[in-house]
Amino acid sequence: ATSVNAVGEGRTIYDNIRKAIYYLLSCNIGEIIAIFGAILLGLGSPLTPIQILWLNLVTDGMPALALGIEPAEKDIMKRPPRKKNETVFAGGVGVRILYQGVIIGLLALGAFWLALSWGKSLVEARTMAFLTIALSQLIHSFNARSLKQSIFSLGIFTNRYLLYGFSASLLLQLSVVFLPFFREIFGTTLLGREAWLWIIGLSLVPFIVAEVDKLVNRISNSQAGV
């Protein structure tokens, strides 16, 4: 019984390391794509250095720590042993990191371009891009809880530390926009209702895409008898 428990604990720890890596790398790839994409298009940088630092410290840090203590998935002891030379990017993790990162980056870039196309100032455009990439990353943290299972089958409240991290990061992110003191430091500004609707809508895209991807994989595996 002790050996079985030890194997289960080891698999859970390994799983959670992969989830944290998946989350952090996809978020960082998104930031890189947003910045270089905008520069290549001649739009200027959508994020300032202090905004990038804020994203890495706040919106990336707390959710990643919470993913490190994610409860074990139900099927963890039903899985076959992994190969000793298998990397953390096996099993589709590497592909998911890339495509989720690309989506997050393009969404932030799209928000930046959209604001500029409306004739908004550079500060307003950067604020839209900053909020879009921050919120999409925070929502994306729920995708990283499992590579196979939907968040609705896992249960939204089964990792309360992720909820705490998400809530704290969200409040800190909003304070950067709504509190005058932080607005001056981070170079943000207040936005109108239309801009917020676009930000929220764009931020939900990575979550929706990941849920559809998981559903398609579950159906494919079911039909293949896996």
Side-chain angles (χ1 to χ4, degrees):
T2 302
S3 297
V4 172
N5 290 334
V7 170
E9 186 67 22
R11 289 185 175 190
T12 301
I13 292 171
Y14 182 75
D15 254 14
N16 291 347
I17 291 172
R18 296 180 77 199
K19 292 170 185 177
I21 291 173
Y22 163 43
Y23 174 68
L24 288 171
L25 288 183
S26 56
C27 290
N28 288 330
I29 288 173
E31 294 167 20
I32 292 170
I33 288 176
I35 293 169
F36 280 96
I39 292 173
L40 288 174
L41 292 173
L43 301 175
S45 178
L47 298 169
T48 63
I50 193 171
Q51 290 172 351
I52 298 170
L53 181 61
W54 177 264
L55 289 172
N56 290 327
L57 290 176
V58 178
T59 60
D60 291 354
M62 285 188 277
L65 289 173
L67 288 169
I69 49 177
E70 174 72 23
E73 295 186 36
K74 295 177 181 178
D75 68 338
I76 197 160
M77 294 303 291
K78 297 179 181 178
R79 303 173 190 172
R82 62 181 177 85
K83 298 177 181 178
K84 63 180 181 180
N85 59 346
E86 180 182 291
T87 70
V88 293
F89 302 108
V93 175
V95 174
R96 286 182 172 87
I97 287 172
L98 287 174
Y99 90 73
Q100 286 285 349
V102 169
I103 290 173
I104 291 171
L106 291 179
L107 290 172
L109 179 59
F112 186 62
W113 173 83
L114 193 63
L116 292 176
S117 69
W118 290 342
K120 302 294 184 181
S121 67
L122 182 60
V123 173
E124 290 174 295
R126 280 178 172 165
T127 302
M128 271 193 72
F130 185 36
L131 286 169
T132 299
I133 200 166
L135 293 181
S136 61
Q137 287 179 356
L138 289 176
I139 294 171
H140 176 52
S141 65
F142 291 95
N143 294 333
R145 288 190 59 193
S146 176
L147 298 175
K148 299 178 181 179
Q149 298 299 313
S150 166
I151 183 63
F152 303 108
S153 62
L154 288 173
I156 296 175
F157 303 101
T158 49
N159 186 346
R160 65 180 186 276
Y161 297 105
L162 181 58
L163 291 176
Y164 297 155
F166 174 86
S167 301
S169 297
L170 180 61
L171 288 174
L172 288 169
Q173 182 64 32
L174 294 178
S175 71
V176 170
V177 176
F178 288 104
L179 297 181
F181 174 75
F182 287 115
R183 282 205 301 267
E184 293 182 11
I185 296 175
F186 288 92
T188 58
T189 188
L190 294 174
L191 299 173
R193 181 182 299 178
E194 184 181 8
W196 274 105
L197 289 174
W198 273 99
I199 290 167
I200 294 171
L202 291 173
S203 300
L204 289 171
V205 172
F207 176 77
I208 295 170
V209 171
E211 284 292 312
V212 172
D213 179 34
K214 292 175 185 178
L215 177 61
V216 171
N217 283 333
R218 287 197 302 272
I219 293 173
S220 299
N221 290 336
S222 176
Q223 292 176 344
V226 178

